């Protein structure tokens, strides 16, 4: 696995996105002493088939599920931007909101969903995921590092620019690096189990997760029996 960052920021569209895509890697980082912050663009209020609750109740439930899931992998700082679930767009407002958190956290690595559609994995290419990825990449470059972008962040909020050196992209085509999560796989499963409104029976999901992670490990050339999460690493000039 690549070097562990001192600080990392994981930007996702919905509660549970981080747990499906990178919770094992996050568990490795926090175990090694990294500070990791989760940032969700929405509250996930449009997720699931529950029709007896209104949107605010669903959003509150999913925020709490995400906090419990994050705790399973050593993350205690979970933030929500409250943009509309199912209608996320890579607006200047969303870019500003993400850039604000980048300047607050000052991470060496940011994890984002892919802004590209993966025709081999349409569920991973949910439009909210792509919108969050596009906005997050633009927040990393140029917004967070440019003192003239979203001037209120510097002049009204006192948030100095921050240049993120590296982005890890999940859920997109052409991964080029893999985290061996074999030793922390159970923590990833525990994180996903916290999303009771979305996952249902974790015992049914776990074998599928193991199969997916084993396929990733095989692509990475890891020994049989290992499990891995895939990323595309992007160095920011």
């Amino acid at each position: 696995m690549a070097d562990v960052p001192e600080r990392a920021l994981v930007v996702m569209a919905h509660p549970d996105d981080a747990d499906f895509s990178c919770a094992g890697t996050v568990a490795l980082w926090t175990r090694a002493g990294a500070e990791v912050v989760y940032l969700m663009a929405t509250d996930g209020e449009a997720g699931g088939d529950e029709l007896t609750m209104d949107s605010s109740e669903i959003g509150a439930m999913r925020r709490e599920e995400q906090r419990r899931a994050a705790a399973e992998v050593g993350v205690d700082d979970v933030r929500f931007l409250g943009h509309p679930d199912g209608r996320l767009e890579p607006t200047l407002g969303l870019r500003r909101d993400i850039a604000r958190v980048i300047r607050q956290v000052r991470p060496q690595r940011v994890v984002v969903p892919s802004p590209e559609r993966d025709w081999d994995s349409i569920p991973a290419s949910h439009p909210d995921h792509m919108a969050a990825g596009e906005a997050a990449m633009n927040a990393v470059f140029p917004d967070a590092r440019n003192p003239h972008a979203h001037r209120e962040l510097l002049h009204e909020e006192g948030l100095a620019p921050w240049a993120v050196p590296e982005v890890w992209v999940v859920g997109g085509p052409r991964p080029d690096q893999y985290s061996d999560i074999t030793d922390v796989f159970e923590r990833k499963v525990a994180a996903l189990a916290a999303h009771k409104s979305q996952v249902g029976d974790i015992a049914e999901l776990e074998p599928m997760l193991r199969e997916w992670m084993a396929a990733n490990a095989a692509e990475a050339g890891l020994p049989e029996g290992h499990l891995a999460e895939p990323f595309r690493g992007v160095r920011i000039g």
Side-chain angles (χ1 to χ4, degrees):
M1 190 181 75
D3 292 341
V4 174
E6 180 183 350
R7 296 180 303 279
L9 175 65
V10 176
V11 182
M12 293 289 156
H14 313 109
D16 83 16
D17 288 348
D19 302 295
F20 275 105
S21 63
C22 63
T25 302
V26 169
L28 292 172
W29 292 349
T30 59
R31 187 175 70 178
E35 297 178 11
V36 180
V37 175
Y38 279 2
L39 178 64
M40 307 296 147
T42 79
D43 293 340
E45 72 275 7
D49 299 322
E50 177 60 68
L51 301 178
T52 62
M53 301 170 67
D54 63 30
S55 294
S56 63
E57 292 175 312
I58 295 172
M61 175 181 64
R62 296 204 64 193
R63 289 194 301 271
E64 183 55 31
E65 287 176 343
Q66 183 60 82
R67 293 187 184 101
R68 290 199 298 269
E72 293 287 352
V73 293
V75 176
D76 59 14
D77 190 343
V78 183
R79 309 182 192 189
F80 301 88
L81 295 178
H83 287 259
D85 185 11
R87 294 175 286 156
L88 199 63
E89 297 180 345
T91 61
L92 284 172
L94 180 57
R95 287 168 54 175
R96 178 204 60 225
D97 292 347
I98 298 171
R100 173 184 291 113
V101 178
I102 290 172
R103 293 189 185 189
Q104 291 169 341
V105 175
R106 305 175 82 77
Q108 289 86 26
R109 186 174 297 152
V110 176
V111 181
V112 306
S114 175
E116 297 182 73
R117 189 178 302 279
D118 185 350
W119 295 105
D120 295 322
S121 181
I122 294 300
S125 301
H126 187 291
D128 280 1
H129 297 179
M130 293 190 293
E134 180 68 21
M137 286 300 303
N138 291 334
V140 167
F141 185 90
D143 295 357
R145 66 178 58 199
N146 183 355
H148 302 289
H150 314 297
R151 286 181 171 231
E152 65 273 24
L153 297 181
L154 176 61
H155 297 294
E156 297 176 19
E157 301 179 35
L159 295 172
W162 177 255
V164 176
E166 185 179 25
V167 172
W168 282 19
V169 181
V170 300
R174 303 179 300 279
D176 58 11
Q177 58 190 31
Y178 298 81
S179 292
D180 186 341
I181 65 163
T182 310
D183 292 344
V184 293
F185 177 71
E186 296 306 323
R187 294 181 68 185
K188 178 182 179 75
V189 172
L192 283 163
H195 296 282
K196 296 184 183 300
S197 69
Q198 308 301 304
V199 170
D201 187 355
I202 191 65
E204 292 184 6
L205 178 61
E206 182 173 353
M208 291 186 287
L209 280 173
R210 189 176 292 275
E211 183 179 349
W212 297 337
M213 300 301 106
N216 294 333
E219 290 179 5
L222 294 171
E224 185 175 354
H226 283 241
L227 307 170
E229 291 174 338
F231 302 87
R232 183 172 183 181
V234 180
R235 296 292 301 179
I236 309 298

